[in-house]
Amino acid sequence: MKLITQIAEMHEFVDACRTKKETVGLVPTMGFLHQGHISLMERAIRENDKTIVTIFVNPLQFAEGEDLSSYPRDLEQDTSQCEATGVDLLFTPSPEEMYSQPILTAVHIDSMTSNMEGASRPTHFSGVATVVAKLFNIAGPCSAYFGEKDWQQLQIITKMAHDLSFRVNVYGCPTVRHSDGLALSSRNAYLTPEERTSATVLSRSLQKASETVQAGETTASAIRAQIDDQIATEPLVELDYVEIVEGNTLNSIDQISQGSRILVAAKIGKARLIDNVDPYCGIT
Ligand code: AMP
């Protein structure tokens, strides 16, 4: 595996791929890799001739007071995991390499960024879209893999790639979970053992809501209330939102049907965790 930090080296690599007519898979991450990230890499490796993983804790997507400085990092362990998985190139740029000062250009996506994570973190998605647009430009035509765990992010990136005509196929990959249902997340590292136990209420409430929907209750407000009530039974969990939306547009809906998505976010100790489900599939 090649380990690089410079954008120019990325260009060299992807130019060589194109000369050899090799397809490129791209997996953007913030590192502190876990099985969720690995599942994206495995798919990229299966579907492409060459796979690039990027690790960059993107300052633009953290607001003042968020966990930019404490975000967990372990480049040595991440490098071994990428190597063991069969990644061809690991790109770990510095903030200075990615952003020459002053930063005057940003990507803004309307409406889809204003609810849920966007309401709680107003500058977050512009930061995400800007860095992903840069990575798409640096990598050039490729297939890029993102987790359904960050459902809103996946839809926004899909829309951005389409709106701005990036030559990138964006693929969503299923959420990888612990055996008790908690979605894997680098931020789970912040949880104390007690908080870790309470955190399963997110996936438990989404699973129970899915069962209720499948039993015939499709009124969004009733499902939202059921999730609210279940989360309220865990005193360590401070609910941020429960939203029921049309899966692709992220518009709020009153009646649940095929294609709907239920999303939750909660603060648990130092961690802010998110999860979501297709109510007709449930937590898998
Ligand atoms: P992050 O490092 O948190 O920015 O995540 C990098 C990519 O991994 C994003 O596309 C996430 O959606 C994805 N990801 C994070 N956690 C999971 C998970 N538990 N299952 C599947 N994909 C995930």
Side-chain angles (χ1 to χ4, degrees), residues 28-31 34 36-37 40 71 146-147 149-150 153 174-176 184:
T29 81
M30 297 203 299
H34 51 62
H37 300 112
L40 309 186
Y71 194 84
F146 294 87
K149 210 273 265 162
D150 298 277
Q153 169 176 283
T175 300
V176 177
L184 267 62

Side-chain angles (χ1 to χ4, degrees), residues 246-272:
E246 202 280 310
N248 300 128
T249 62
L250 306 178
N251 291 331
S252 275
I253 51 172
D254 297 328
Q255 282 299 321
I256 297 171
S257 61
Q258 292 291 340
S260 303
R261 203 88 192 175
I262 309 177
L263 301 94
V264 297
K267 193 129 198 289
I268 309 175
K270 285 204 214 83
R272 188 168 174 289

Side-chain angles (χ1 to χ4, degrees), residues 102-151:
I103 309 165
L104 301 177
T105 308
V107 178
H108 171 75
I109 292 121
D110 259 341
S111 78
M112 297 174 85
T113 55
S114 59
N115 60 356
M116 301 185 283
E117 288 307 283
S120 301
R121 310 176 70 192
T123 56
H124 174 66
F125 283 122
S126 183
V128 169
T130 302
V131 80
V132 171
K134 281 181 69 82
L135 292 171
F136 284 0
N137 275 330
I138 294 166
C142 64
S143 293
Y145 299 83
F146 294 87
E148 290 184 352
K149 210 273 265 162
D150 298 277
W151 183 264

Side-chain angles (χ1 to χ4, degrees), residues 5-18:
T5 57
Q6 303 297 305
I7 292 171
E9 296 172 287
M10 273 281 275
H11 289 154
E12 244 172 68
F13 184 86
V14 291
D15 287 352
C17 289
R18 256 147 234 138

Side-chain angles (χ1 to χ4, degrees), residues 49-62:
D49 298 319
K50 288 277 151 57
T51 292
I52 300 173
V53 171
T54 70
I55 297 180
F56 180 59
V57 182
N58 172 33
L60 284 195
Q61 70 190 69
F62 291 78

